[in-house]
Amino acid sequence: MLGEYRIQGRRAADISASVERAVGSGELAPGQLLPPMRELATELGVNPNTVAAAYRTLRERGVIETAGRRGSRVRSRPASTARGSIWVQAPPGVRDVSAGNPDPALLPPLHDALAAAARHNAERPGMYGQAAVDAEFARLARAGLDADGVPDGPVAVTSGSLDAIERVLAAHLRPGDAVAVEDPGWGSLLDLVPALGLRPVPVGVDDEGPLPGDLERALRDGVRAVVV
């Protein structure tokens, strides 16, 4: 069933980690059927409830899916899938936007700003206990958000958009909640959603953004968040 790979562990956390490592390394492929819980419990010499807890953790982390009597399988696109196993070479003449990187020619010059930030940090290093966001930066950011019609609220600084999305989803949703995502969409986001134990719901897009009919259907079906 598992080929040469043997799931290991005596605790639920160890068993789930063993499976997730194998999925990440490619030793367990997408669609791979896992042993029934009682069978694996007997093999490992543990209580079946321990294996059940491990499988539950793997489901919440988006690594496996369970289909009743048909058993548990590695998801077709698990959150911990090795990148090399799902990467597709873009054909000639097609621009690969899967990484989400902007055109470098469109980026503003940052040399002077980064140099000024380095000098400021050398003079007044940032320390624990200080304000998390520079007051002037927060004022400028708030002005820009107000101009875009974003409701008033605190300003947070994150390490990029994916970090921001992860923080919002983790703070407001629970494992099993549905999240509407663009289809086709950003690969890193499609990895993040199941990794948080959330269920992605595809919403078609065109040049103007999400298709209204698809989005309305997703909202009617109970999605708890929409990422565009």
Side-chain angles (χ1 to χ4, degrees):
M1 182 179 295
L2 297 180
E4 297 182 359
Y5 184 77
R6 296 182 64 84
I7 298 174
Q8 300 177 342
R10 299 280 300 174
R11 301 178 305 160
D14 297 332
I15 296 170
S16 61
S18 175
V19 173
E20 192 160 359
R21 280 195 304 270
V23 173
S25 67
E27 293 176 89
L28 290 180
Q32 178 75 60
L33 183 66
L34 298 183
M37 288 184 286
R38 290 188 179 278
E39 178 181 315
L40 181 58
T42 299
E43 179 181 333
L44 298 177
V46 300
N47 191 294
N49 290 337
T50 302
V51 177
Y55 279 20
R56 181 170 60 251
T57 297
L58 290 166
R59 285 195 303 273
E60 291 177 350
R61 289 182 56 78
V63 178
I64 69 171
E65 55 191 3
T66 300
R69 294 181 179 275
R70 289 181 292 176
S72 298
R73 296 179 180 272
V74 178
R75 288 173 57 99
S76 58
R77 186 187 172 95
S80 49
T81 299
R83 263 290 162 196
S85 67
I86 59 176
W87 182 74
V88 177
Q89 175 70 48
V94 174
R95 184 183 296 273
D96 183 2
V97 298
S98 62
N101 291 319
D103 185 339
L106 301 177
L107 296 175
L110 297 176
H111 179 271
D112 292 343
L114 293 176
R119 289 193 300 270
H120 181 277
N121 185 68
E123 297 169 0
R124 287 175 289 176
M127 306 293 286
Y128 289 118
Q130 296 179 349
V133 181
D134 179 79
E136 178 64 9
F137 176 85
R139 184 187 67 78
L140 294 172
R142 186 67 259 171
L145 294 172
D146 289 342
D148 289 336
V150 178
D152 191 21
V155 174
V157 177
T158 65
S159 298
S161 58
L162 193 66
D163 180 34
I165 294 170
E166 179 178 2
R167 294 185 186 209
V168 172
L169 295 180
H172 294 280
L173 275 63
R174 295 181 177 181
D177 285 345
V179 179
V181 295
E182 295 179 332
D183 180 25
W186 184 20
S188 296
L189 175 63
L190 301 181
D191 289 341
L192 171 66
V193 170
L196 294 175
L198 306 173
R199 181 167 54 87
V201 175
V203 172
V205 296
D206 59 17
D207 290 345
E208 302 299 323
L211 299 177
D214 284 8
L215 184 56
E216 181 180 1
R217 187 180 309 108
L219 293 171
R220 188 170 58 245
D221 290 343
V223 298
R224 297 293 308 280
V226 178
V227 182
V228 296

